[in-house]
């Protein structure tokens, strides 16, 4: 089936391209780009819209298998395409965890059956995420895992981390580190600082993250492996990454949209949708993270989409689980906070959401070059909207409900198939193309 996208502004940071041009898609592949293309088949009039490579999330919790009351591969990927994502990396902390081939294969099969976008599984570092012995990492890699991580938990044992890095280097995949010292975190529920003192809540110090980043940077240097620091949130953590890169260590990192947008001051509301790990940090840390985005220290923006059931979050702050959803709001939050406030330009934001994540984990996608799979996102930068609590995700634990934002994802195409269309009257069944003119 052919699809012609006409009259849009195409931004492709993978080759510094920014111009009004038509895109032709044949059999799921971008085959031509040019002025006034003609074709038979479906036509999308993208006048006034921006056309970019589909976003790729390096950090998504899809919860399946085992916690389908929070999210499933079907609902999580529908949330993804509603947020402009054409691929997500699925974290390993499911039940059972993705620590063996059978789980990886189940995730890939279910994503092929009911997924609205591509799913790249992340395997566990350790068996059962227990931090005691390594998972069958080579097996996981063969089954399709694109990286390994015990995310949700740190790898406390430095020797185990060293071995994981050695195996990962051999297999040419990254180790994705949730950097936290559990002893320093000591049961904390928010950032340790002024507001934790004022609110009488136990705190997680910045040092909990920073000491572990320092350790793992040294181990990455020693093993010549690729360390990817998940959700950096402190000034010291980004400084450690910056220094390591200067020294030639293969370290990459991501930041979440909520750490870009929010600080620990907001926790005064006691909303459990402001409880996540790492916690929201004070303004000086947020500023340091934003500087690191501007100077290129931060490679990618991720969501750490962590759906929870309403009942699980509808408890006292102390008792609520960590985590917030993010797939459906990440672009608009980042466009608002980074581009509209002139910290970075639009092509750089698109790079952080698509090309750079692809490069960082060595994934397909992140480009609109002819011959590439047609994974494409359409944006309306002028549309203002209010975030409501109706999500494609099964969960609604978003800190951004009620926020008015500008810049919105209007359609998402995965492999040449329109998987999300904001103006479509009903949610699309996964895998079914919709014939529609805009
Ligand atoms: Zn984490």
């Amino acid at each position: 089936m052919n699809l012609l996208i006409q009259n849009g502004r195409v931004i492709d940071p993978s080759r510094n391209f920014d111009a009004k041009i038509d895109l032709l898609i044949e059999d799921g592949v971008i085959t031509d780009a040019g002025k006034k293309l003609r074709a038979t088949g479906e036509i999308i009039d993208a006048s006034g819209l921006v056309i970019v490579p589909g976003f790729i999330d390096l950090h998504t919790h899809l919860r399946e298998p085992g916690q389908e009351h929070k999210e499933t591969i079907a609902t999580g990927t529908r949330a993804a395409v509603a947020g402009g994502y054409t691929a997500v990396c699925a974290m390993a902390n499911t039940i059972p965890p993705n620590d063996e081939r059978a789980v990886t294969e189940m995730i890939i099969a279910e994503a092929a059956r009911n997924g609205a976008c591509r799913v790249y599984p992340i395997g566990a570092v350790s068996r059962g995420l227990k931090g005691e012995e390594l998972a069958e990492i080579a097996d996981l890699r063969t089954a399709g895992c694109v990286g390994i991580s015990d995310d949700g938990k740190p790898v406390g044992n430095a020797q185990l981390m060293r071995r994981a890095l050695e195996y990962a280097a051999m297999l040419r995949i990254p180790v994705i580190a949730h950097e936290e010292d559990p002893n320093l975190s000591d049961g904390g529920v928010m950032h340790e600082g002024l507001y934790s003192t004022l609110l009488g809540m136990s705190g997680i110090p910045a040092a909990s993250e920073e000491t572990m980043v320092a350790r793992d940077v040294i181990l990455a240097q020693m093993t010549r492996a690729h360390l990817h620091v998940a959700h950096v949130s402190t000034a010291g953590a980004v400084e450690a990454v910056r220094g390591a890169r200067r020294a030639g260590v293969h370290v990459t990192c991501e930041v979440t949209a909520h750490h870009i947008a929010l600080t620990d001051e907001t926790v005064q509301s006691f909303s459990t949708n402001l409880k996540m790990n790492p916690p929201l940090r004070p303004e000086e840390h947020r500023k340091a993270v934003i500087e690191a985005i501007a100077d290129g220290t931060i490679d990618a923006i991720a969501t750490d989409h962590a759906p929870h059931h309403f009942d699980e979050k509808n408890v006292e702050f102390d008792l609520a689980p960590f985590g917030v959803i993010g797939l459906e709001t990440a672009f608009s939050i980042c466009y608002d906070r980074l581009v509209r406030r002139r910290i970075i330009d639009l092509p750089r934001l698109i790079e952080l959401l698509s090309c750079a994540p692809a490069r960082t984990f060595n994934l397909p996608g992140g480009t609109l070059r002819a011959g590439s799979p047609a994974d494409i996102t359409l944006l309306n930068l002028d549309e203002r909207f209010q975030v409501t609590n109706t999500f494609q995700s099964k969960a609604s634990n978003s800190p951004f409900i009620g926020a008015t934002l500008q810049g919105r994802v209007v359609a998402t195409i995965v492999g040449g198939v329109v998987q999300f269309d904001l103006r479509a009257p009903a949610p699309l069944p996964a895998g079914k193309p919709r014939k529609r003119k805009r």
Side-chain angles (χ1 to χ4, degrees):
M1 203 192 77
N2 296 351
L3 184 64
L4 181 64
I5 308 176
Q6 286 179 326
N7 307 322
R9 172 187 168 196
V10 174
I11 298 181
D12 183 0
S14 77
R15 51 204 172 104
N16 287 324
F17 186 87
D18 184 348
K20 250 193 178 169
I21 204 166
D22 300 342
L23 285 183
L24 178 64
I25 297 154
E26 294 173 296
D27 297 324
V29 175
I30 299 170
T31 52
D32 201 1
K35 298 259 182 210
K36 300 210 160 84
L37 292 185
R38 304 176 81 174
T40 54
E42 189 185 350
I43 293 173
I44 293 179
D45 180 7
S47 302
L49 303 181
V50 174
I51 300 163
V52 300
F55 303 152
I56 298 170
D57 189 21
L58 298 181
H59 198 140
T60 304
H61 297 276
L62 289 175
R63 304 299 191 203
E64 185 174 2
Q67 294 183 297
E68 290 85 352
H69 65 290
K70 295 178 195 262
E71 192 80 286
T72 65
I73 290 167
T75 60
T77 55
R78 275 212 295 279
V81 293
Y85 289 89
T86 53
V88 297
C89 296
M91 276 300 172
N93 63 341
T94 47
I95 303 173
N98 184 10
D99 63 355
E100 58 171 343
R101 171 187 279 269
V103 179
T104 311
E105 286 170 350
M106 177 264 149
I107 293 166
I108 290 172
E110 176 58 16
R113 228 177 1 248
N114 290 316
C117 70
R118 301 175 202 277
V119 175
Y120 299 114
I122 308 281
V125 166
S126 67
R127 235 180 258 276
L129 308 174
K130 289 188 177 134
E132 289 162 6
E133 48 179 336
L134 287 181
E136 295 291 343
I137 297 169
D139 236 27
L140 290 168
R141 168 75 168 128
T142 313
C145 288
V146 298
I148 51 170
S149 180
D150 275 0
D151 183 63
K153 290 181 188 172
V155 177
N157 181 327
Q159 174 71 343
L160 193 80
M161 188 62 167
R162 172 193 177 177
R163 296 292 177 227
L165 285 162
E166 284 169 351
Y167 271 102
M170 229 155 51
L171 299 166
R172 298 179 183 282
I173 52 174
V175 176
I176 302 144
H178 170 115
E179 302 291 28
E180 178 181 16
D181 181 320
N183 295 310
L184 281 171
S185 287
D186 193 25
V189 296
M190 66 177 290
H191 175 77
E192 179 182 309
L194 172 66
Y195 291 101
S196 66
T197 307
L198 284 176
L199 300 173
M201 292 212 255
S202 51
I204 299 171
S208 176
E209 179 172 334
E210 292 164 353
T211 52
M212 290 292 269
V213 174
R215 182 200 76 174
D216 287 345
V217 158
I218 291 166
L219 292 175
Q221 183 164 34
M222 174 189 182
T223 56
R224 297 172 181 273
H226 175 192
L227 172 73
H228 179 77
V229 180
H231 44 51
V232 284
S233 71
T234 77
V238 291
E239 192 46 44
V241 170
R242 192 179 280 127
R245 284 156 74 117
R246 250 186 238 127
V249 186
H250 192 181
V251 182
T252 55
C253 68
E254 70 194 27
V255 63
T256 71
H258 50 264
H259 286 110
I260 289 169
L262 302 169
T263 66
D264 63 342
E265 191 182 348
T266 58
V267 179
Q268 290 177 103
S269 71
F270 291 107
S271 165
T272 57
N273 290 342
L274 297 163
K275 180 174 176 181
M276 65 287 284
N277 193 6
L280 297 175
R281 305 289 189 182
E283 181 62 13
E284 62 265 29
H285 289 286
R286 193 185 74 89
K287 271 202 184 129
V289 164
I290 284 180
E291 268 166 38
I293 293 172
D295 76 8
T297 302
I298 287 173
D299 296 270
I301 294 171
T303 68
D304 196 2
H305 179 82
H308 291 294
H309 192 271
F310 179 79
D311 292 342
E312 294 165 315
K313 277 287 199 182
N314 191 24
V315 294
E316 276 174 54
F317 196 91
D318 276 353
L319 304 173
F322 290 104
V324 294
I325 58 169
L327 285 167
E328 292 170 71
T329 49
F331 168 75
S332 303
I333 293 292
C334 294
Y335 181 68
D336 189 75
R337 299 305 164 104
L338 299 175
V339 178
R340 293 190 75 220
R341 298 185 193 187
R342 298 179 193 280
I343 290 159
I344 55 173
D345 60 14
L346 179 62
R348 170 74 177 136
L349 175 60
I350 301 308
E351 182 180 39
L352 285 159
L353 290 165
S354 65
C355 325
R359 198 167 54 228
T360 303
F361 281 9
N362 199 21
L363 304 172
T367 179
L368 298 175
R369 202 182 292 273
S372 311
D375 289 3
I376 300 170
T377 299
L378 276 64
L379 308 167
N380 183 345
L381 301 180
D382 300 321
E383 185 163 340
R384 284 174 70 82
F385 69 104
Q386 194 174 35
V387 181
T388 63
N389 64 354
T390 50
F391 294 99
Q392 294 290 319
S393 169
K394 252 190 191 188
S396 57
N397 52 312
S398 165
F400 299 113
I401 294 169
T404 299
L405 302 171
Q406 182 175 333
R408 193 171 199 188
V409 172
V410 293
T412 306
I413 298 165
V414 184
V417 177
V418 179
Q419 289 285 6
F420 171 74
D421 188 334
L422 186 62
R423 282 156 240 191
L428 292 169
K432 294 255 173 64
R434 173 179 292 275
K435 287 190 179 157
R436 190 155 188 280
K437 285 190 182 180
R438 196 183 305 279

